[in-house]
Amino acid sequence: MSESEAAIAEVPSSAKMETRNVSVFYGSNHAVRNVDLDIPDRSVTALIGPSGCGKSSYLRALNRMNDTIDGCRVEGHILLDGQNIYSRGIDPVEVRRRVGMVFQKSNPFPKSVFDNVAFGLRIGGETDKDVIAQRVEESLKGAALWDEVKDRLQSSALGLSGGQQQRVCIARCLAVWPEVILMDEPASALDPIATAKIEELIRELRERYCIVIVTHSMQQAARVSDSTAFFYMGELVEQGKTEEIFTRPTKKRTEEYISGRFG
Amino acid sequence: MKYTRKDWLLVGVAGISVGVILLILAVLLGQVVFNGAPVISMEFLTESPGADMVSGGIWPAIYGTVYVTLLMTLAGVPVGIATAVYLSEYASASSRLARLVRLAVNNLAGVPSIVFGLFGLGFFIIFVGGGMDALLNDGPTPVWGKPSILWASLTLAVLTLPVVIVTTEEALKRVPRELRDASLALGATRFQTVYKVVLPNAKSGILTGVILAVSRGAGEVAPIIFCGAANFLPYLPTDPRDMFMHLGYHVYALATQSPNVDAARPTLFGTVLVLLTLTFSLNLLAVILRARSRAAFRL
């Protein structure tokens, strides 16, 4: 923690993450084009735009998950606390420990709820059972799931409902104490009630984390986010405070998209 | 939906094929069980054969088969699994090495087993064994450079390698990508992801492949003819460098080398029955495990 605080002190900018001229390529397909975006700490940044606009590709570049895709290449600078996560000598594993991710399709391991949440701690080398148990409880509480699963921590996570599974994934992500949480359409596969719970959770998590959420739903972006970035055809068209983007967009494309004329 | 005449033709041909296969299987098994079962006894399973090969039991052949199969598994399976992990988890789609390995595996799978026998003789016994004798052994009699359990096991390991690699790779590929992503996003290294997520979730699929490979290896005769199987060896091997008796080879020996082929027939069928029981139960285990691994993922 002290290390990252020192890094913040070095950089005058208040942004937790800054991206400069970021492009993502799949082979010869230029999926994200020269995106400049500042992502502030302790707030929710929503990335919106029609399917295939590059928002998910951009999101996956923020914790180097694109490294795992064959033929994918990222150009430009992505700074986390002022340090470029793509510079030589930076271990992507370390980046991903600081920048966690929640996926569109909930993907709990076929293990117990407890083992799911403890996974990141254990691979990080934590062996103290008490520490692990405490952190699992704390993370499940953080994900607003503790009361629902405290009596069945040892049963399989796959036996939970879809919304609960997604919150297990969020708890699992919280357990490694990330600084940034990336969410790739975390509620798109859930029913309205489960979605409402996830959105409420995101608003709570904002107090402590830097959150970036990709969403298809403009209503969702309006409900949960502080700032919004609109992507179209791989380019960042417009960014700003959420209420401004939704009430007074400056670009025609943005206005057309949020008023539902395409997308 | 109504069947047209062409559909019925197809159904008819398929039905006849199934019938023929079932008939062959029934005749084969019936023959073996009918002729073999009467000779199966405690003595048959636990005693050494008499000097005429017909009397007594087949214990050294059972022992030799199990010994060779175990050693083959120990030698071949780890290499096969490591190769499959490399192909599935590490190599990129454009990797030249991976393409070369796949080419080799596919071609290896098509090589007749007798050729593996010749390979074992030429490479393991003469080249490796002979080389080791030249380096380590001063006496005139070869210690390493002769047919033995060791070389037969290694030859069988090479023979079964493609089966292990292909089935393991398939099992690894069945593990959903989402689970790998989840693990990596939590800050796991690639190795941790393979070791903690991919392999445990592919376990029963891999085990299926291993068992199929083992059952194939246990039943092969041709590769070991040159590499260490003995016609008649009424004592048990004590060293991996000894020769051994083998159920499959014993069948061949009884059918062709025995002084009185008619008298040998019951022993012959008894041996076949034991061998079939061994490989069938391994296959059955593989079928059960495969069903379990299919049921595992509903992500």
Side-chain angles (χ1 to χ4, degrees), chain B residues 62-266:
Chain B
I62 297 176
Y63 183 86
T65 307
V66 172
Y67 196 153
V68 160
T69 308
L70 274 180
L71 210 58
M72 165 197 86
T73 311
L74 286 179
V77 167
V79 178
I81 291 179
T83 309
V85 166
Y86 165 75
L87 289 176
S88 157
E89 306 298 315
Y90 284 86
S92 71
S94 55
S95 157
R96 226 176 258 180
L97 179 63
R99 258 188 286 173
L100 203 69
V101 172
R102 285 215 173 81
L103 188 76
V105 167
N106 290 339
N107 283 302
L108 216 54
V111 171
S113 53
I114 188 75
V115 178
F116 279 99
L118 288 171
F119 166 79
L121 177 67
F123 180 75
F124 286 125
I125 299 179
I126 296 175
F127 181 71
V128 180
M132 284 168 78
D133 270 335
L135 285 174
L136 308 170
N137 177 21
D138 303 326
T141 47
V143 178
W144 298 97
K146 63 183 181 55
S148 66
I149 293 179
L150 177 66
W151 303 133
S153 306
L154 291 183
T155 307
L156 286 173
V158 176
L159 173 92
T160 52
L161 207 52
V163 184
V164 177
I165 293 172
V166 170
T167 48
T168 303
E169 198 189 345
E170 269 167 22
L172 296 176
K173 292 239 142 93
R174 266 207 302 277
V175 176
R177 190 192 159 82
E178 286 85 358
L179 293 184
R180 292 180 180 84
D181 280 353
S183 166
L184 291 169
L186 288 166
T189 62
R190 184 133 56 159
F191 182 79
Q192 284 173 326
T193 302
V194 168
Y195 191 71
K196 299 270 187 191
V197 176
V198 180
L199 283 178
N201 283 303
K203 205 170 45 192
S204 39
I206 294 173
L207 215 54
T208 310
V210 167
I211 293 169
L212 284 179
V214 167
S215 107
R216 160 124 202 253
E220 281 287 349
V221 180
I224 59 170
I225 291 180
F226 310 120
C227 295
N231 255 347
F232 178 68
L233 212 60
Y235 52 86
L236 298 180
T238 53
D239 188 298
R241 291 170 298 181
D242 290 342
M243 290 182 74
F244 61 99
M245 287 187 80
H246 185 274
L247 285 169
Y249 190 67
H250 194 56
V251 171
Y252 171 75
L254 282 169
T256 57
Q257 322 277 303
S258 132
N260 184 347
V261 174
D262 284 331
R265 196 156 289 143

Side-chain angles (χ1 to χ4, degrees), chain A residues 18-25 29-38 53-54 58 61 73-78 230-239:
Chain A
E18 297 161 74
T19 69
R20 293 289 170 261
N21 214 14
V22 168
S23 289
V24 180
F25 301 85
N29 173 22
H30 198 164
V32 174
R33 294 164 186 269
N34 314 318
V35 171
D36 288 339
L37 184 63
D38 286 355
C53 69
Y58 174 76
R73 195 158 46 85
V74 176
E75 281 178 4
H77 296 280
I78 297 180
F230 172 57
F231 281 69
Y232 183 68
M233 306 270 280
E235 287 179 34
L236 175 60
V237 175
E238 187 170 358
Q239 62 183 92

Side-chain angles (χ1 to χ4, degrees), chain A residues 13-110:
Chain A
S13 162
S14 66
K16 180 72 182 171
M17 294 191 85
E18 297 161 74
T19 69
R20 293 289 170 261
N21 214 14
V22 168
S23 289
V24 180
F25 301 85
Y26 296 106
S28 59
N29 173 22
H30 198 164
V32 174
R33 294 164 186 269
N34 314 318
V35 171
D36 288 339
L37 184 63
D38 286 355
I39 298 162
D41 204 358
R42 284 161 219 274
S43 76
V44 178
T45 304
L47 311 181
I48 60 169
S51 303
C53 69
K55 56 193 191 299
S56 288
S57 300
Y58 174 76
L59 189 78
R60 289 174 68 96
L62 296 179
N63 68 342
R64 297 195 61 170
M65 279 304 282
N66 280 334
D67 291 19
T68 64
I69 297 172
D70 256 359
C72 181
R73 195 158 46 85
V74 176
E75 281 178 4
H77 296 280
I78 297 180
L79 309 181
L80 173 61
D81 289 336
Q83 188 176 36
N84 186 2
I85 60 169
Y86 280 87
S87 49
R88 210 177 293 218
I90 296 279
D91 184 0
V93 168
E94 191 53 42
V95 171
R96 292 185 202 125
R97 226 164 259 164
R98 294 174 62 189
V99 185
M101 191 165 207
V102 175
F103 297 85
Q104 178 172 12
K105 212 160 124 191
S106 66
N107 52 0
F109 300 119

Side-chain angles (χ1 to χ4, degrees), chain A:
Chain A
M1 247 353 200
S2 63
E3 206 181 296
S4 59
E5 273 159 19
I8 289 171
E10 274 170 34
V11 183
S13 162
S14 66
K16 180 72 182 171
M17 294 191 85
E18 297 161 74
T19 69
R20 293 289 170 261
N21 214 14
V22 168
S23 289
V24 180
F25 301 85
Y26 296 106
S28 59
N29 173 22
H30 198 164
V32 174
R33 294 164 186 269
N34 314 318
V35 171
D36 288 339
L37 184 63
D38 286 355
I39 298 162
D41 204 358
R42 284 161 219 274
S43 76
V44 178
T45 304
L47 311 181
I48 60 169
S51 303
C53 69
K55 56 193 191 299
S56 288
S57 300
Y58 174 76
L59 189 78
R60 289 174 68 96
L62 296 179
N63 68 342
R64 297 195 61 170
M65 279 304 282
N66 280 334
D67 291 19
T68 64
I69 297 172
D70 256 359
C72 181
R73 195 158 46 85
V74 176
E75 281 178 4
H77 296 280
I78 297 180
L79 309 181
L80 173 61
D81 289 336
Q83 188 176 36
N84 186 2
I85 60 169
Y86 280 87
S87 49
R88 210 177 293 218
I90 296 279
D91 184 0
V93 168
E94 191 53 42
V95 171
R96 292 185 202 125
R97 226 164 259 164
R98 294 174 62 189
V99 185
M101 191 165 207
V102 175
F103 297 85
Q104 178 172 12
K105 212 160 124 191
S106 66
N107 52 0
F109 300 119
K111 296 171 183 256
S112 71
V113 173
F114 187 94
D115 288 344
N116 261 283
V117 181
F119 181 88
L121 297 172
R122 288 181 176 144
I123 56 151
E126 182 59 67
T127 49
D128 188 326
K129 283 207 171 96
D130 296 334
V131 172
I132 293 178
Q134 200 209 328
R135 199 89 81 83
V136 167
E137 179 174 343
E138 180 190 300
S139 308
L140 284 168
K141 280 177 177 160
L145 191 60
W146 176 253
D147 290 334
E148 291 162 59
V149 298
K150 63 178 181 226
D151 299 323
R152 42 175 172 159
L153 291 176
Q154 294 311 323
S155 45
S156 170
L158 296 180
L160 300 177
S161 74
Q164 288 172 327
Q165 288 190 18
Q166 190 62 301
R167 278 181 284 150
V168 166
C169 295
I170 294 176
R172 185 172 67 179
C173 173
L174 298 180
V176 294
W177 284 352
E179 298 159 40
V180 181
I181 301 173
L182 310 176
M183 298 185 169
D184 191 356
E185 307 198 27
S188 67
L190 303 178
D191 62 68
I193 293 171
T195 302
K197 279 192 178 161
I198 298 276
E199 289 181 3
E200 196 186 317
L201 176 58
I202 293 171
R203 282 195 294 267
E204 277 167 29
L205 293 174
R206 173 176 55 186
E207 312 282 319
R208 290 188 291 148
Y209 299 94
C210 168
I211 297 173
V212 186
I213 177 172
V214 161
T215 175
H216 250 108
S217 149
M218 283 171 289
Q219 291 83 352
Q220 185 169 67
R223 282 192 299 261
V224 301
S225 71
D226 303 297
S227 50
T228 296
F230 172 57
F231 281 69
Y232 183 68
M233 306 270 280
E235 287 179 34
L236 175 60
V237 175
E238 187 170 358
Q239 62 183 92
K241 285 219 162 65
T242 298
E243 63 263 28
E244 280 169 22
I245 293 273
F246 279 91
T247 51
R248 293 184 297 277
T250 55
K251 301 269 168 48
K252 194 158 169 287
R253 278 270 173 227
T254 317
E255 196 205 324
E256 282 176 354
Y257 182 69
I258 59 173
S259 60
R261 237 167 284 165
F262 74 98

